[in-house]
Amino acid sequence: MGNWEENIRRVTPYVPGEQPKRKDIIKLNTNENPYPPAPGVEEALRSFDVKELRKYPDPKITELADAIASYYEIAPEKVFVGIGSDDVLAMSFLTFFNSKKPILFPDITYSFYDVWADEFRIPYETIPLTDDFHVNIADYQKECGGIVLPNPNAPTGVTEGRDAYEQLVKDHPDCIVIIDEAYVDFGADSMLPLIDKYDNLLVVQTFSKSRAMAGSRIGFAMGNPKLISYLSDVKYSFNSYTMDAITIRLGAAAISDKAYFEEGLRKLMATREWTKKELRRLGFTFGDSKTNFIFAKHEKISAKELFMDLREEGIFVRYFEKPRISDYLRITIGTDEEMKRFIEFTEGWLMKKGCLS
C-alpha cells in the first residue's frame, strides 16, 4: 500500500439537519418554510422550455441578479448570486479571508463557519456569546483578518440590531465584515442600507427560508461593486456555470411577487408569536427570536429526551449535543396545525413527567 493518504486534505464536515424519508411527519428541524413558494414559481416551471437545457446557462445569472437588484432597489453590479447562501459564504471566505490574522465569529453560531475556515486553512477565533446568548460587540474590537456575524444569529435566533453591527463595520475598515442574513426577513433590521456607506460590508441572504425555496438553492450577496467583482472573479475561477437555467427562471419568478412574500411572512410570524406564548405557558425559556425558529429550554427536563420522544411521535425538531446548548431544542415554525400538534404533545409529555400541574 502506498502513502497517498498523507496528502489528503482532511476536514470535519458540517452535519446538516436530518431529512427523513417518512411522509407522515411534522418536520420542524431544518428551518424550512412550511408554505409553498410564490404561485409564479410553479407557472415558470410549467412553462420552462426544456430545449433550453441543451445550452449552458448564463454564467452571470443576469435574469435573477437583475430581479434581485430591482426588488432591493440597488444597482445590478452590487449583487452576486450563488447556489444557496452556503455557496456564497464559502466563496466569500475564499475571496476575502486571506490574511494571516484570525477571522472572528461567535462560539455558538452557524456551524459551517469553522468548517470553511478549516477547509481553506483560514485562522480563526471564536468569540463567546454572553450567558444569555447575545453578541458582545466590544469583544470583537481587536485586530483580525475579518468578521462573520449572522443577523439574527443561529441557532439562538437573537439579533443585536443595526447600530451594533454598524459599529463593528465602522471600527474594522481594513477587513471585510460579512453579515449573514439568512433569517433577517422574519423581524430583524437588515444591514443592506449601509452597503454604500461602508465598502468593507458584505450582506448575504437566501431564498431558502423566507422565500420557501430551500430545494432550489439560491443565495446572494450585496455589497459595493468592487467587492462583488472580486467575489465574481473567484467564482469564475472555481466554476463558471454555477446555477442551472431552471433555477434562474424560478428565482426571478419568486422574488417578483412581493405581496405573496409579505403575506407569508405575516402569517409565519403570527404563528411564531403564538408558539412563544404557548411555550412560556409550559415553562420553557428562550430569547426573543426574530427568525422562523425558537431556541428553547426547560429547566425541569432533558432536551435530548424530549427530542427523542418527539421523534418517535413523528415530530422532528433539532437537538445539538454541544457545550452550552445541550439543554436546548431548536424548533422550526411550521403551520398553525403543526405547531398546535407540537404543543399538545409537549404539554402531555410534560404532564406525564410531573413537570406541569
Side-chain angles (χ1 to χ4, degrees):
M1 297 289 288
N3 294 322
W4 56 265
E5 284 188 272
E6 293 181 2
N7 300 312
I8 299 299
R9 174 163 294 194
R10 299 172 186 266
V11 294
T12 302
Y14 169 77
V15 179
E18 185 178 3
Q19 294 288 351
K21 302 301 182 184
R22 291 170 53 187
K23 302 297 184 183
D24 60 334
I25 68 164
I26 294 178
K27 193 171 183 298
L28 310 177
N29 67 327
T30 50
N31 298 341
E32 295 147 332
N33 197 309
Y35 303 107
V41 173
E42 183 175 357
E43 294 173 14
L45 185 60
R46 291 183 181 278
S47 63
F48 185 84
D49 184 357
V50 71
K51 291 191 293 295
E52 291 188 34
L53 295 181
R54 69 180 180 82
K55 299 180 293 183
Y56 285 108
D58 174 14
K60 294 185 178 180
I61 317 179
T62 306
E63 180 182 1
L64 180 51
D66 285 353
I68 292 170
S70 176
Y71 181 87
Y72 289 103
E73 298 181 343
I74 61 176
E77 57 265 28
K78 297 177 183 178
V79 178
F80 173 90
V81 181
I83 309 173
S85 60
D86 288 344
D87 177 51
V88 175
L89 287 163
M91 288 294 103
S92 299
F93 271 53
L94 196 59
T95 304
F96 301 122
F97 297 153
N98 289 286
S99 166
K100 293 181 180 179
K101 302 171 186 176
I103 65 171
L104 310 177
F105 49 83
D107 65 332
I108 301 171
T109 192
Y110 186 32
S111 52
F112 231 138
Y113 297 159
D114 58 350
V115 173
W116 289 318
D118 285 336
E119 185 170 8
F120 300 141
R121 305 302 189 255
I122 300 168
Y124 68 92
E125 178 184 346
T126 58
I127 308 297
L129 297 180
T130 63
D131 290 342
D132 58 352
F133 295 152
H134 279 274
V135 172
N136 183 357
I137 298 299
D139 292 340
Y140 290 78
Q141 301 299 347
K142 60 174 70 177
E143 195 172 5
C144 63
I147 296 173
V148 186
L149 279 176
N151 171 38
N153 195 13
T156 64
V158 177
T159 181
E160 307 307 326
R162 185 184 294 158
D163 290 346
Y165 298 130
E166 179 179 6
Q167 189 63 48
L168 204 59
V169 177
K170 181 179 180 181
D171 291 344
H172 291 83
D174 296 327
C175 65
I176 303 302
V177 178
I178 298 175
I179 304 297
D180 181 358
E181 296 191 340
Y183 301 96
V184 74
D185 293 325
F186 298 106
D189 291 326
S190 175
M191 292 288 284
L192 177 60
L194 301 179
I195 63 171
D196 290 328
K197 186 175 181 181
Y198 300 101
D199 62 2
N200 62 322
L201 170 63
L202 189 74
V203 176
V204 178
Q205 295 188 13
T206 178
F207 279 46
S208 296
K209 315 301 182 182
S210 57
R211 298 189 186 278
M213 293 191 69
S216 280
R217 313 308 301 127
I218 300 172
F220 58 103
M222 296 173 286
N224 79 78
K226 184 178 287 188
L227 277 184
I228 299 303
S229 176
Y230 283 132
L231 192 53
S232 296
D233 287 346
V234 171
K235 169 200 165 180
Y236 294 138
S237 301
F238 190 80
N239 183 355
S240 297
Y241 303 106
T242 55
M243 183 169 288
D244 66 86
I246 298 175
T247 300
I248 294 171
R249 187 69 48 80
L250 301 189
I255 203 167
S256 67
D257 196 336
K258 186 175 182 180
Y260 181 87
F261 173 65
E262 292 179 345
E263 176 58 27
L265 289 177
R266 283 192 292 269
K267 184 164 52 175
L268 198 145
M269 287 190 288
T271 306
R272 179 190 68 198
E273 296 308 306
W274 177 88
T275 306
K276 285 181 181 179
K277 181 180 177 182
E278 290 298 299
L279 286 173
R280 290 192 189 100
R281 179 178 64 83
L282 298 179
F284 286 88
T285 58
F286 44 86
D288 185 22
S289 174
K290 297 298 182 183
T291 63
N292 68 334
F293 61 83
I294 300 170
F295 194 57
K297 74 171 182 177
H298 197 293
E299 295 291 348
K300 297 181 180 180
I301 68 167
S302 160
K304 186 174 184 179
E305 185 179 359
L306 176 55
F307 163 75
M308 295 300 295
D309 287 350
L310 281 164
R311 195 175 186 280
E312 284 295 313
E313 184 66 16
I315 303 173
F316 284 59
V317 297
R318 192 79 189 267
Y319 173 70
F320 300 92
E321 199 159 9
K322 296 182 177 181
R324 298 187 68 191
I325 60 173
S326 59
D327 292 334
Y328 287 79
L329 295 178
R330 194 191 69 188
I331 306 151
T332 302
I333 302 302
T335 64
D336 287 345
E337 294 74 18
E338 288 173 332
M339 301 318 295
K340 286 174 183 175
R341 183 175 161 192
F342 163 74
I343 291 294
E344 287 170 0
F345 176 84
T346 302
E347 183 171 10
W349 189 90
L350 289 170
M351 291 183 69
K352 290 179 184 177
K353 298 291 182 181
C355 299
L356 291 177
S357 56

